[in-house]
Amino acid sequence: MSRIGALLGVITALTLAVAACDDKAAPGHSQVNGAPASAAASPAPGVSTSPGDDDSDEGDPQSSATQTGKPSASKTTQAPAGSTYAGRLPKFGTPPAPARIGLPEGAGAPYFSRIPTDQPVAFLTIDDGWVKRPEALELLRESGAKVTLFLTINAIKDNPGYFKQLRDAGADIEAHTLTHPNLKGKSYDFQKREICGSADQLAGLYGQRPKLFRPPFGDKDATTLKVAHDCGLQAGFFWKETVDKGIVRYQEGHSVQKGDIVLMHFRDRFVDDFIAALQAISAAGLTPALLTDYLPAT
């Protein structure tokens, strides 16, 4: 009996030791709400980590990049109750009455990367339309910012109503071709199909024909500008700043200048890009304005 008792004692001790080991968490695998901590982290709501439509190098200047992830302390909004973006959107004062510029006469449409104005305004433009983030409408409404949309027909044809909502919230819709090709070097007829065709289709979708045009990738030639003119478009547009993944890149200096045209896209990181663009405009003491308000009335 003494041998049996001793054997039982050994078995009991071994059982307790194994249980104690099982109770210890493995190194590097602490838990959060029952799941490993490494699996608990996730992107912020409304921000996707996947890449957007591939215009990622659409003319981005090879220059300094400035992260504008923090709002100006003196210019943040007192957003209404229930606002999703309280404290992140800049607050803009009443914009000046637009002073329209003159346009040169000629066989081709003029081409701008900056509007020649002394008024404290900049122009936020948003291209393509492939990624349709639901937050865009709320951002437009909460910010009150005036923006110009250069839309590609192939990108918007699956949901034109999405952009009608943005138009009704104050956005202006302009032309950006049918299929987003590189126009430079193409024939007159090819470019006319792309440019006139997009303007005509946008008129049919939204009840107003565009007046302005942006060539895909910012690439154009004399034929592009002649076609734009022949299609009844007032002017074509490049840019001075680009925004992607919440980062503003500048061609000149480290701030937005009066009259600058700022480019972003309908991408997965739309929320970050939109807020970063407005913060950069606000930090420069400027107000967002519509391009059409500064060109001759037609």
Side-chain angles (χ1 to χ4, degrees):
M1 291 296 293
S2 60
R3 290 182 179 179
I4 294 174
L7 182 59
L8 289 174
V10 170
I11 293 172
T12 300
L14 290 172
T15 302
L16 291 173
V18 170
C21 290
D22 287 344
D23 284 341
K24 294 181 181 179
H29 291 278
S30 59
Q31 293 189 342
V32 178
N33 293 331
S38 58
S42 61
V47 179
S48 171
T49 57
S50 61
D53 58 297
D54 192 16
D55 268 346
S56 58
D57 60 350
E58 182 163 298
D60 282 0
Q62 299 299 313
S63 58
S64 60
T66 301
Q67 178 71 47
T68 55
K70 295 182 180 179
S72 168
S74 62
K75 292 192 176 183
T76 54
T77 54
Q78 297 299 316
S83 168
T84 306
Y85 305 103
R88 295 185 67 191
L89 286 169
K91 183 177 180 180
F92 296 100
T94 303
R100 296 183 185 272
I101 66 171
L103 295 179
E105 294 185 4
Y111 196 62
F112 296 97
S113 57
R114 173 183 288 143
I115 297 298
T117 180
D118 289 329
Q119 293 191 308
V121 295
F123 303 93
L124 178 55
T125 64
I126 312 176
D127 279 14
D128 297 346
W130 297 104
V131 177
K132 302 167 184 65
R133 298 294 302 180
E135 301 91 344
L137 180 59
E138 183 178 1
L139 281 165
L140 276 180
R141 287 173 173 168
E142 285 193 21
S143 68
K146 301 299 183 183
V147 301
T148 301
L149 313 182
F150 287 101
L151 300 181
T152 303
I153 295 299
N154 275 5
I156 70 167
K157 63 184 180 182
D158 63 328
N159 189 2
Y162 173 89
F163 300 96
K164 183 179 184 301
Q165 288 184 309
L166 302 185
R167 192 272 314 273
D168 293 345
D172 182 48
I173 292 177
E174 302 296 341
H176 194 44
T177 72
L178 293 172
T179 65
H180 206 278
N182 189 324
L183 295 173
K184 187 176 181 180
K186 300 297 195 300
S187 70
Y188 180 95
D189 288 342
F190 177 92
Q191 297 199 42
K192 184 177 181 180
R193 282 193 300 272
E194 287 286 340
I195 298 172
C196 289
S198 67
D200 292 343
Q201 290 199 35
L202 288 170
L205 288 170
Y206 301 110
Q208 183 173 341
R209 198 172 192 274
K211 301 176 182 179
L212 313 179
F213 168 70
R214 171 171 281 151
F217 313 104
D219 287 340
K220 48 82 180 172
D221 55 20
T223 301
T224 310
L225 299 182
K226 177 169 175 49
V227 168
H229 176 271
D230 294 349
C231 290
L233 301 171
Q234 283 186 304
F237 295 91
F238 195 68
W239 50 81
K240 284 293 184 182
E241 289 84 28
T242 61
V243 191
D244 188 28
K245 299 180 178 66
I247 299 173
V248 177
R249 293 178 173 85
Y250 300 90
Q251 287 182 341
E252 301 174 12
H254 300 280
S255 65
V256 182
Q257 306 297 312
K258 291 179 181 178
D260 276 5
I261 298 167
V262 182
L263 168 69
M264 60 174 281
H265 291 80
F266 285 95
R267 290 180 171 143
D268 283 343
R269 295 283 293 273
F270 184 96
V271 173
D272 295 334
D273 292 349
F274 186 84
I275 292 174
L278 292 187
Q279 288 173 352
I281 292 170
S282 176
L286 307 176
T287 300
L290 288 180
L291 286 168
T292 52
D293 287 343
Y294 281 76
L295 299 181
T298 57

